[in-house]
C-alpha cells in the first residue's frame, strides 16, 4: 500500500465551494445571494409549500386551520348554544329573526417549516452540500414569503454537532436566512438520524420537516422518521447523491476509505460488483420512499448536478410539493 | 502413454498451503486507497451472499491466480509425477549392457563408440530415476559381471556407467540374462533392460523368465579386419601363413596387409572386399628357429573397429617329434619307423626327454610317463574307471561301428578285422555309463567298446581295449595310417605342424612347471594369479583384450601367449533386429524404453520458475490508478 495515497486520499471529485456554485443571476442586477439567482428568487417568492395535511401552530398565520377562528374572513353561522361567547352573536340577524346566531370566522394559523441540512463529510463529495444549500435556500424563501415560521438546522458541521437558525418569519429575515446558509461549511461526522433526534429535543411546532441529505448513514432512519411524524411534522425527504455515486465508473482492486469514519473496506474486482451496487442503491431509495410514505411524507432523490430550478420548478411543483 | 502417477503423493498435503496463501493475499493485497462518501452501500454489497462466493473473489485477480498456480506447480513438482511407459512400475530393474568387441565400433572417425551411446542413454535413465526404483548394472561380453547391486544411489550408478569398458571378445547375452535371473531370485524383477548393438548370435539359448526390453543402438557399417591367422609347416623349415580378412556386412572395405617378422616388415598385400565378403591370403615363410609373426591390416578409408586390425603368431622352432614305444610292441615300432621327422625312444643315441610328444605302449607301467598324446593297447592298460565297466568275453569280436571323422580314425576301415580278445560291458552297463565316466567311445564292437579316448587338457589318451598284436589289424593297410594319424595329432599338440593364432576370450591351459604360482599380466596391465597343478598344468585364464599375456614367476617371463583375433562375428558387425530366445522373440524397442517412467518434476519446476518471474513482473509494475474523472 502506498503511504502517499494513504495520507492524501483522493476523493472521487473535489468539493466545489458553495460560493462557486453557478449563479443564474441577471448580469445587470447584483445578486442577493450566491446560492440563488435573482430570477429564481423572484419566482420562488410566488410559490408556497403545499403540505398534505394541515398541520399548523396555534399562532395566527396564513395557513387556514379549518378549526374556525377569529380572523376577519367570514366562514359560517350556527345556532347559539349556552356558553357561547355572546360577543360573537350576530346582532343584526338576531334583530331581524329574533333568534341568536353565532357568526363564525376562518381561523388562519402559521405552519412551522423545519429545514434540516446534512453537512457531514459525505456531503462534501460531488457538490452535494452545495445542492443541499440551494434547495434549503429555496425552501427558506418560500417559507418566509409564505409567512411561515422557519427554522434551519445544519448537522455535521465541523465546529459542533448542530448549528441552528432560530425560528423566524417574515421576509425581513430573508437576508439573515441566506447568510446563514451561505456560511455552512460542513465536514463533520454527525449522522443524519442522530441529528433529527437532537433537533426534535428542542423543536416546538407542527408543520413540515424538510430533510436534505444523502441518507448514507449506518443508523436506522425509521426511529427519527417516527419521531418527526409524532411531532406533527410532515416529512419531505430529499436525497442528494453525486453523479459518481449514482453511476460509479470503477474497476479493479481498491481500498475504500469512509470520509466520515475513516474506516476502510477492501474491494476486489469492483467492476464485477457494480451491478450489485446499483441494486443496493435503488433498494435504499425504495426503502426511504416507503418509510416516508408510511408516515404521510414524501421522498425525492436527485443528483447533485441537477439545477435547483429544475428540481423546484419542475419536479417539486409537478409532484405537488409546492404550488 | 499412460496417465501420470506420483512418486511422492504425500506431498499433496502441501495443498493446504493454498488456504493461508489466499488468506494472506486478501489481507495483504496491494490496493489503491480511495476516499469515498460512505462505505454503507459497498458494505452492503460485500455482505451480499453472492459476492462472498469464492469464485467471485478470484475473478480478475491475476496476481492471486499466478500465486496459486506457482504453488500448485511447486507442489506437483514435489510430488514427483512421472509418466509410465506401461501399466506396471518396475521397482528392481537389472540393466544388461553388451560390452563385446563390436560395441567399440564408431560410425565415423572421431565419433562416439556404440558403448558411449549406451552410456549416454544410461546417464539419462539414472538422472530420471524415481525414488522407488533400483537399478543393477550388468556388463556382459562372453561372461557377465555385476557392476552394482540394486541401488538408487546415482553416484554409484554413474561411476559404474563411466567405468564400462569394451571387452574384445564376442558377446554371450545369455550370460548376462542368467545373472539377472539369479538376481531375480532375491528381488522381484519384472523387466530387464538390455542394451546392445545387435551383434549377437541369431539364437540365444535362454528361456526368459521375465520381460526383456531390448534397446538397440545403431550399429556401425564399415569395417575390415583379420578374422583368422594360422601357419602350416610344409617342411622342416618352411611355413605357409594363412590370413583371412573379412569386411562388415554393411559396406565394402579395403586395406593393405603387412607381414611383420620379428619387428620387420617383410611382405605386403592388398585386399578389396565387398560388403560381407571374406578373402584368404597366403604368405610363404622360411624359419629355422622360433619366429614371431605379426599381420597388420592398414584400412583404406573408414574402419569402425581397430582391434581386429592386428594378429600375431608364434612359430615354434623346428624339431623332431619325440615318440616313445617299447621294443616289445614291434608292430607299432615298425609303423613308426616309416614316419619322417620323429625321434623314436628308447634308443641308444639320444637322451630321453622329460616329456614325450607321443607315447604308444601296451605296458601299464608306462602310464606314468609324461606325454602329450598317449595310445595304449590291451585291456590291462585301461584305467580302473573304465575297466570296472568292462569284462573279458569269450566270444570272438569284430568292429561294428567307429567314428570315421575322428583325427585318429581318418581314412581307416575296420571291416573284417579279427580280434582274439573280446571285451563286453559288465551286466547292466552300457555306452552311456562309459561316457559318464569321462571316456569317449571311438569304436564299438559286438559286445563293448574297442577304442576309448579321453582329453584331460594336458594329455590326450587313447585306449584300445584289445591288444593289436592279438588281432589282424597290424596286417591291414589301416594300421600304419592309424599310427600316422596318431603322429599328426601329436604334431598338432606340440605345435610342430601348424600354429593357429588364438582368439580373445580364454587362453588354453598350458603345461609349465608344476606347483608354481604364475602372475598373468594382460596387455592392459591387468594381473591375475594362477597356480599350476602337480602335472604343471596351468588352467585357462580370461583374455578379454587383444595382445600378449605373460606368465610370470617373479620378474621372469615363463611363457608369452598372444590372443590376437576377434571373433569373426564381431568383425562382420552383423546385427539382428530381434533377439530370438528359446521360446520367444524380442523385438527392439520402438520408443525410448528408458526407465520407461519419465520424470516430470523438472518441467513443472521450470514452469513454476516462469510463473514466479511473471508474478514478480506483475507485482513490480506500477499500479493502474483509476481516474473516474477521465
Amino acid at each position: 500500500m502506498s503511504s502517499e495515497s494513504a495520507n492524501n486520499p483522493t476523493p472521487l471529485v473535489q468539493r466545489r465551494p458553495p460560493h462557486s456554485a453557478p449563479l443564474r443571476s441577471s448580469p445587470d442586477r447584483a445578486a442577493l445571494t450566491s446560492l440563488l439567482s435573482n430570477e429564481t428568487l423572484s419566482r420562488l417568492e410566488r410559490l408556497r409549500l403545499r403540505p398534505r395535511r394541515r398541520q399548523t401552530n396555534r399562532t395566527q398565520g396564513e395557513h387556514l386551520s379549518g378549526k374556525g377562528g377569529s380572523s376577519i374572513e367570514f366562514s359560517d353561522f350556527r345556532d347559539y348554544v349556552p356558553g357561547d361567547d355572546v360577543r360573537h352573536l350576530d346582532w343584526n340577524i338576531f334583530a331581524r329573526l329574533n333568534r341568536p346566531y353565532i357568526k363564525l370566522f376562518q381561523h388562519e394559523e402559521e405552519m412551522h417549516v423545519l429545514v434540516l441540512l446534512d453537512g457531514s463529510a459525505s456531503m462534501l463529495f460531488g457538490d452535494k452540500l452545495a445542492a443541499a444549500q440551494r434547495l434549503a435556500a429555496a425552501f427558506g424563501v418560500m417559507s418566509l414569503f409564505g409567512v411561515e415560521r422557519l427554522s434551519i438546522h445544519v448537522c455535521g458541521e465541523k465546529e459542533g454537532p448542530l448549528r441552528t437558525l432560530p425560528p423566524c418569519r417574515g421576509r425581513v429575515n430573508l437576508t439573515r436566512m441566506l447568510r446563514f446558509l451561505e456560511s455552512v461549511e460542513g465536514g463533520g461526522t454527525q449522522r443524519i438520524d442522530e441529528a433529527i433526534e437532537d433537533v426534535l429535543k428542542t423543536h416546538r411546532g407542527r408543520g413540515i420537516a424538510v430533510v436534505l441529505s444523502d441518507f448514507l448513514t449506518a443508523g436506522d432512519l425509521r426511529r427519527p422518521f417516527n419521531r418527526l411524524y409524532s411531532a406533527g411534522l410532515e416529512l419531505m425527504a430529499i436525497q442528494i447523491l453525486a453523479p459518481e455515486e449514482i453511476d460509479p465508473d470503477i474497476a479493479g482492486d481498491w481500498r475504500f476509505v469512509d470520509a466520515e469514519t475513516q474506516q476502510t473496506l477492501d474491494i476486489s474486482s469492483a467492476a464485477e460488483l457494480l451491478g450489485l451496487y446499483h441494486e443496493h442503491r435503488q433498494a435504499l431509495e425504495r426503502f426511504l420512499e416507503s418509510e416516508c410514505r408510511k408516515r404521510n411524507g414524501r421522498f425525492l432523490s436527485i443528483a447533485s448536478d441537477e439545477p435547483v430550478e429544475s428540481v423546484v420548478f419542475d419536479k417539486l411543483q409537478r409532484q405537488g410539493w409546492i404550488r | 502413454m499412460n496417465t501420470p502417477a506420483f512418486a511422492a503423493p504425500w506431498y499433496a498435503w502441501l495443498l493446504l498451503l493454498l488456504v493461508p496463501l489466499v488468506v494472506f493475499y486478501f489481507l495483504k493485497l496491494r490496493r489503491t486507497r480511495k476516499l469515498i462518501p460512505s462505505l454503507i452501500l459497498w458494505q452492503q454489497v460485500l455482505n451480499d451472499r453472492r459476492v462472498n462466493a469464492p469464485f467471485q473473489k478470484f475473478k480478475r485477480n491475476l496476481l492471486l491466480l499466478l500465486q496459486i498456480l506457482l504453488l500448485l506447480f511447486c507442489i506437483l513438482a514435489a510430488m514427483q509425477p512421472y509418466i509410465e511407459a506401461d501399466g506396471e512400475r518396475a521397482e528392481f530393474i537389472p540393466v544388461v549392457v553388451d560390452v563385446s568387441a563390436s560395441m567399440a565400433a564408431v560410425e565415423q572417425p572421431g565419433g562416439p563408440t556404440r558403448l558411449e551411446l549406451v552410456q549416454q542413454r544410461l546417464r539419462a535413465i539414472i538422472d530420471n530415476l524415481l525414488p522407488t526404483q533400483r537399478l543393477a548394472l550388468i556388463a556382459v561380453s562372453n561372461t557377465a559381471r555385476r557392476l552394482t547391486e540394486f541401488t538408487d544411489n546415482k553416484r554409484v550408478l554413474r561411476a559404474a556407467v563411466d567405468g564400462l569398458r569394451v571387452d574384445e571378445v564376442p558377446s554371450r547375452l545369455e550370460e548376462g540374462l542368467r545373472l539377472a535371473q539369479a538376481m531375480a531370485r532375491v528381488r522381484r524383477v519384472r523387466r530387464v533392460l538390455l542394451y546392445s548393438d545387435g551383434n549377437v548370435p541369431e539364437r540365444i539359448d535362454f528361456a526368459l523368465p521375465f520381460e526383456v526390453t531390448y534397446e538397440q543402438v545403431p550399429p556401425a557399417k564399415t569395417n575390415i579386419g583379420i578374422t583368422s591367422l594360422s601357419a602350416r609347416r610344409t617342411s622342416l623349415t618352411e611355413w605357409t601363413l594363412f590370413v583371412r580378412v573379412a569386411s562388415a556386412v554393411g559396406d565394402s572395405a579395403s586395406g593393405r596387409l603387412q607381414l611383420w617378422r620379428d619387428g620387420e616388415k617383410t611382405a605386403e598385400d592388398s585386399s578389396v572386399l565387398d560388403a560381407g565378403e571374406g578373402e584368404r591370403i597366403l604368405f610363404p615363410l622360411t624359419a629355422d628357429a622360433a619366429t614371431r609373426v605379426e599381420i597388420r591390416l592398414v584400412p583404406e578409408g573408414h574402419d569402425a573397429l581397430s582391434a581386429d586390425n592386428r594378429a600375431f603368431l608364434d612359430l615354434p622352432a623346428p624339431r623332431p617329434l619325440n615318440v616313445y614305444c617299447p621294443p616289445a610292441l614291434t608292430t607299432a615300432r615298425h609303423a613308426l619307423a616309416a614316419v619322417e621327422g620323429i625321434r623314436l625312444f628308447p634308443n641308444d643315441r639320444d637322451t630321453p626327454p622329460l616329456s614325450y610328444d607321443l607315447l604308444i605302449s601296451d605296458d601299464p607301467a608306462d602310464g606314468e610317463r609324461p606325454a602329450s598324446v598317449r595310445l595304449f593297447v590291451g585291456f590291462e592298460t585301461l584305467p580302473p574307471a573304465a575297466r570296472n565297466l568292462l569284462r573279458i568275453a569269450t566270444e570272438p569280436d569284430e568292429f561294428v561301428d567307429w567314428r570315421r571323422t575322428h583325427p585318429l580314425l581318418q581314412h581307416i576301415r575296420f571291416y573284417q578285422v579279427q580280434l582274439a580278445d573280446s571285451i563286453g560291458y559288465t551286466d547292466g552297463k552300457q555306452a552311456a555309463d562309459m561316457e559318464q565316466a569321462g571316456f569317449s567311445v571311438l569304436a564299438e564292437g559286438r559286445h563293448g567298446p574297442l577304442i576309448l579316448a579321453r582329453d584331460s587338457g594336458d594329455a590326450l589318451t587313447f585306449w584300445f581295449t584289445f591288444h593289436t598284436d592279438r588281432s589282424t589289424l597290424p596286417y591291414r593297410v589301416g594300421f600304419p595310417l592309424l599310427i600316422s594319424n596318431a603322429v599328426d595329432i601329436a604334431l598338432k599338440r606340440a605345435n610342430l605342424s601348424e600354429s593357429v593364432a588364438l582368439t580373445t576370450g580364454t587362453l588354453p591351459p598350458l603345461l609349465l612347471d608344476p606347483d608354481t604360482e604364475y602372475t598373468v599380466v594382460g596387455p592392459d596391465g591387468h594381473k591375475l594369479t594362477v597356480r599350476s597343478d602337480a602335472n604343471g598344468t596351468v588352467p585357462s585364464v580370461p583374455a578379454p583384450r587383444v595382445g600378449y599375456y605373460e606368465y610370470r614367476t617373479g620378474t621372469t617371463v615363463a611363457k608369452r601367449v598372444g590372443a590376437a583375433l576377434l571373433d569373426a562375428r564381431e568383425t562382420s558387425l552383423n546385427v539382428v533386429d530381434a533377439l530370438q530366445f528359446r521360446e520367444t522373440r524380442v523385438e527392439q524397442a520402438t520408443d525410448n524404453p528408458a526407465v520407461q517412467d519419465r520424470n516430470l518434476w523438472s518441467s513443472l519446476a521450470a514452469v513454476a520458475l516462469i510463473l514466479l518471474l511473471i508474478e514478480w513482473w506483475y507485482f513490480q509494475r506500477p499500479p493502474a490508478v483509476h481516474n473516474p474523472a477521465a
Side-chain angles (χ1 to χ4, degrees):
Chain A
M1 176 65 67
S2 168
S3 58
E4 184 181 354
S5 59
N7 297 331
N8 300 308
T10 304
L12 279 171
V13 171
Q14 294 297 326
R15 179 205 169 197
R16 189 162 55 192
H19 299 285
S20 64
L23 296 176
R24 287 168 171 77
S25 57
S26 172
D28 57 343
R29 291 174 57 188
L32 183 62
T33 174
S34 61
L35 300 175
L36 300 170
S37 66
N38 289 351
E39 288 78 8
T40 305
L41 283 174
S42 62
R43 291 180 67 183
L44 288 171
E45 287 175 5
R46 296 188 291 274
L47 296 178
R48 295 295 180 268
L49 293 173
R50 187 181 178 189
R52 285 180 171 171
R53 293 177 60 190
R54 292 177 180 175
Q55 300 201 95
T56 52
N57 296 324
R58 289 183 179 177
T59 52
Q60 194 170 10
E62 290 191 345
H63 281 272
L64 297 175
S65 68
K67 293 182 294 188
S70 56
S71 68
I72 58 173
E73 294 289 331
F74 169 75
S75 175
D76 202 356
F77 294 99
R78 69 169 171 82
D79 291 339
Y80 169 78
V81 293
D84 283 344
D85 190 350
V86 296
R87 287 179 300 175
H88 292 158
L89 279 174
D90 190 336
W91 294 108
N92 293 329
I93 292 179
F94 179 75
R96 282 205 298 271
L97 300 179
N98 199 24
R99 289 182 63 186
Y101 285 91
I102 294 295
K103 189 177 182 180
L104 299 178
F105 296 92
Q106 286 185 345
H107 184 80
E108 290 181 343
E109 293 179 346
E110 68 174 2
M111 184 175 64
H112 199 133
V113 177
L114 169 67
V115 177
L116 181 56
L117 178 63
D118 185 0
S120 62
S122 66
M123 293 292 287
L124 297 181
F125 289 84
D127 283 344
K128 289 194 291 185
L129 183 59
Q133 285 174 284
R134 288 193 291 271
L135 274 175
F139 277 100
V141 169
M142 286 186 287
S143 300
L144 291 178
F145 278 86
V147 200
E148 311 292 355
R149 193 175 181 82
L150 172 68
S151 61
I152 301 176
H153 301 271
V154 179
C155 68
E157 280 281 62
K158 274 186 179 174
E159 287 75 13
L162 207 59
R163 188 162 163 242
T164 304
L165 175 69
C168 57
R169 54 183 300 198
R171 62 189 63 186
V172 70
N173 290 306
L174 178 61
T175 309
R176 181 184 168 207
M177 181 271 294
L178 291 173
R179 295 297 170 264
F180 174 80
L181 288 175
E182 286 173 354
S183 66
V184 172
E185 292 184 349
T189 59
Q190 191 180 22
R191 300 194 327 225
I192 187 65
D193 53 320
E194 296 173 347
I196 293 174
E197 302 256 8
D198 290 347
V199 167
L200 290 180
K201 286 177 184 174
T202 57
H203 177 76
R204 294 293 180 269
R206 299 151 60 89
I208 296 173
V210 179
V211 182
L212 304 169
S213 173
D214 53 8
F215 292 107
L216 298 176
T217 175
D220 188 2
L221 285 166
R222 282 172 292 198
R223 174 181 164 86
F225 283 3
N226 285 340
R227 294 284 307 275
L228 287 173
Y229 181 75
S230 301
L233 292 170
E234 181 182 322
L235 180 58
M236 289 184 176
I238 299 179
Q239 185 189 32
I240 305 168
L241 293 177
E244 296 81 16
E245 291 173 315
I246 295 173
D247 188 16
D249 181 15
I250 192 170
D253 300 332
W254 295 90
R255 171 160 294 171
F256 289 158
V257 182
D258 193 303
E260 295 181 8
T261 64
Q262 300 301 316
Q263 289 180 336
T264 60
L265 182 68
D266 291 340
I267 297 294
S268 300
S269 303
E272 301 287 329
L273 304 177
L274 286 180
L276 284 172
Y277 176 85
H278 287 300
E279 289 181 14
H280 282 276
R281 182 182 59 77
Q282 292 164 2
L284 176 62
E285 289 181 12
R286 288 193 297 273
F287 168 76
L288 292 171
E289 185 176 9
S290 168
E291 293 301 318
C292 290
R293 190 180 296 119
K294 284 177 186 174
R295 293 159 183 82
N296 203 28
R298 284 174 282 196
F299 173 79
L300 178 65
S301 180
I302 63 169
S304 62
D305 58 350
E306 211 169 339
V308 68
E309 293 82 5
S310 168
V311 175
V312 175
F313 304 129
D314 184 11
K315 288 184 176 176
L316 294 183
Q317 201 164 10
R318 278 196 293 106
Q319 294 183 17
W321 290 40
I322 57 178
R323 59 183 168 85
Chain B
M1 185 66 68
N2 295 308
T3 54
F6 296 96
W10 49 88
Y11 280 107
W13 286 104
L14 292 176
L15 289 173
L16 293 176
L17 289 175
L18 285 173
V19 177
L21 173 70
V22 175
V23 170
F24 281 117
Y25 175 82
F26 283 108
L27 286 179
K28 297 294 182 182
L29 188 63
R30 190 171 181 241
R31 299 169 184 274
T32 305
R33 291 171 68 94
K34 173 180 281 191
L35 197 63
I36 64 169
S38 175
L39 295 177
I40 298 302
L41 286 175
W42 287 108
Q43 189 70 58
Q44 291 174 353
V45 167
L46 288 188
N47 288 338
D48 193 295
R49 191 173 55 185
R50 287 172 293 173
V51 178
N52 289 330
F55 70 91
Q56 295 269 3
K57 299 238 177 193
F58 293 106
K59 276 189 175 180
R60 299 191 182 181
N61 270 314
L62 181 59
L63 194 60
L64 177 61
L65 286 176
L66 286 174
Q67 290 178 0
I68 290 175
L69 284 175
L70 173 62
L71 182 61
L72 286 178
F73 276 104
C74 288
I75 294 173
L76 281 174
M79 292 169 69
Q80 301 181 28
Y82 59 91
I83 296 177
E84 295 177 80
D86 57 21
E88 290 183 319
R89 289 186 57 197
E91 296 293 333
F92 293 94
I93 306 169
V95 181
V96 179
V97 182
D98 181 6
V99 293
S100 62
S102 61
M103 294 295 284
V106 294
E107 183 68 31
Q108 55 192 7
T113 65
R114 306 303 93 186
L115 183 62
E116 287 169 347
L117 293 178
V118 171
Q119 285 173 314
Q120 291 175 8
R121 297 189 186 184
L122 289 177
R123 291 188 188 103
I125 289 177
I126 294 170
D127 290 340
N128 287 329
L129 197 64
L130 298 178
T132 55
Q133 290 180 327
R134 306 285 186 275
L135 295 186
L137 209 59
I138 298 172
V140 58
S141 51
N142 60 345
T143 58
R145 287 170 293 142
R146 183 173 60 191
L147 302 181
T148 66
E149 294 284 349
F150 283 113
T151 179
D152 59 349
N153 189 325
K154 295 184 178 180
R155 186 180 57 79
V156 171
L157 290 170
R158 285 196 195 98
V161 169
D162 294 341
L164 283 172
R165 295 289 180 271
V166 170
D167 291 340
E168 290 162 343
V169 293
S171 62
R172 295 184 65 197
L173 293 182
E174 60 269 27
E175 296 294 328
L177 295 173
R178 284 197 184 94
L179 184 54
Q181 185 183 25
M183 297 172 78
R185 294 196 184 103
V186 292
R187 299 292 187 188
R188 188 179 181 189
V189 174
R190 293 176 179 167
R191 177 169 48 176
V192 172
L193 293 182
L194 174 60
Y195 287 86
S196 174
D197 60 348
N199 184 247
V200 296
E202 292 184 352
R203 187 171 184 86
I204 300 174
D205 187 20
F206 185 73
L208 282 179
F210 34 64
E211 180 185 348
V212 170
T213 302
Y214 166 46
E215 186 171 4
Q216 186 186 47
V217 290
K221 292 179 180 177
T222 307
N223 186 44
I224 185 169
I226 302 169
T227 57
S228 73
L229 172 64
S230 61
R232 182 170 297 170
R233 191 197 298 267
T234 53
S235 67
L236 194 60
T237 59
E238 297 292 328
W239 293 83
T240 301
L241 285 178
F242 299 91
V243 183
R244 183 170 184 82
V245 292
S247 68
V249 295
D251 200 359
S252 60
S254 61
R256 286 179 288 110
L257 278 174
Q258 299 173 346
L259 171 62
W260 291 70
R261 183 177 174 186
D262 296 329
E264 291 183 6
K265 186 171 75 172
T266 57
E268 183 172 327
D269 200 349
S270 63
S271 177
V272 178
L273 301 173
D274 288 334
E277 194 180 42
E279 183 183 10
R280 192 172 74 165
I281 298 175
L282 280 65
F283 289 99
L285 188 68
T286 302
D288 52 3
T291 303
R292 179 166 297 163
V293 174
E294 181 176 348
I295 302 294
R296 294 179 187 177
L297 175 62
V298 182
E300 294 173 345
H302 172 60
D303 186 45
L305 278 177
S306 60
D308 57 1
N309 294 342
R310 188 165 161 243
F312 33 78
L313 194 63
D314 285 326
L315 301 179
R319 67 171 175 83
L321 191 75
N322 295 321
V323 180
Y324 178 87
C325 185
L329 201 59
T330 53
T331 53
R333 286 186 72 95
H334 275 296
L336 286 170
V339 180
E340 291 183 354
I342 67 171
R343 187 183 295 156
L344 185 61
F345 292 92
N347 61 41
D348 301 331
R349 303 183 305 274
D350 304 314
T351 306
L354 293 176
S355 176
Y356 294 99
D357 298 311
L358 176 62
L359 182 148
I360 302 174
S361 173
D362 60 349
D363 186 359
D366 288 335
E368 302 300 323
R369 274 183 211 281
S372 298
V373 178
R374 300 184 295 179
L375 194 154
F376 292 103
V377 296
F379 185 77
E380 295 77 12
T381 60
L382 286 173
R387 198 160 45 185
N388 293 337
L389 301 175
L390 302 174
R391 64 175 172 79
I392 298 176
T394 55
E395 302 85 2
D397 207 348
E398 62 180 351
F399 283 85
V400 175
D401 189 22
W402 61 94
R403 289 169 60 177
R404 295 168 176 81
T405 57
H406 192 276
L408 183 66
L409 306 183
Q410 283 180 345
H411 315 302
I412 301 174
R413 295 185 173 188
F414 291 106
Y415 296 120
Q416 297 177 352
V417 173
Q418 300 297 316
L419 307 178
D421 297 336
S422 179
I423 305 299
Y425 288 106
T426 56
D427 294 339
K429 302 298 180 184
Q430 52 186 349
D433 298 315
M434 192 63 74
E435 297 279 349
Q436 196 169 7
F439 298 94
S440 299
V441 180
L442 301 185
E444 288 272 6
R446 289 185 180 278
H447 309 292
L450 298 180
I451 303 176
L452 298 176
R454 185 168 69 179
D455 191 350
S456 60
D458 56 336
L460 175 62
T461 310
F462 302 98
W463 289 276
F464 284 64
T465 58
F466 62 95
H467 199 295
T468 53
D469 289 349
R470 289 194 292 276
S471 70
T472 59
L473 182 61
Y475 306 101
R476 302 291 295 270
V477 70
F479 187 74
L481 287 178
L482 180 73
I483 298 300
S484 177
N485 287 343
V487 170
D488 286 343
I489 292 173
L491 283 171
K492 288 181 182 176
R493 297 278 291 195
N495 288 331
L496 292 176
S497 66
E498 65 178 16
S499 181
V500 179
L502 298 175
T503 59
T504 55
T506 307
L507 296 181
L510 299 178
L511 201 60
L512 298 176
D513 295 339
D515 290 328
T516 307
E517 190 172 89
Y518 292 95
T519 301
V520 183
V521 182
D524 55 353
H526 181 72
K527 294 181 179 177
L528 180 70
T529 301
V530 293
R531 188 175 183 83
S532 61
D533 60 10
N535 297 326
T537 303
V538 179
S540 298
V541 295
R545 302 270 181 274
V546 170
Y548 280 103
Y549 292 78
E550 294 179 342
Y551 290 71
R552 296 181 182 174
T553 52
T555 56
T556 306
V557 178
K559 183 78 173 176
R560 202 159 178 254
V561 178
L565 293 172
L566 296 184
D567 188 272
R569 193 184 68 232
E570 302 296 312
T571 297
S572 70
L573 298 179
N574 186 24
V575 297
V576 293
D577 294 331
L579 303 179
Q580 180 62 55
F581 289 94
R582 196 181 298 166
E583 296 172 348
T584 185
R585 181 178 173 88
V586 175
E587 303 286 341
Q588 60 175 304
T590 53
D591 54 353
N592 181 13
V595 171
Q596 345 63 353
D597 300 337
R598 194 162 64 88
N599 259 327
L600 300 176
W601 73 266
S602 55
S603 303
L604 292 171
V607 173
L609 178 62
I610 294 172
L611 283 174
L612 181 65
L613 294 175
I614 295 175
E615 185 196 356
W616 184 83
W617 168 81
Y618 186 81
F619 185 77
Q620 293 297 328
R621 73 186 173 88
V625 178
H626 178 70
N627 184 7

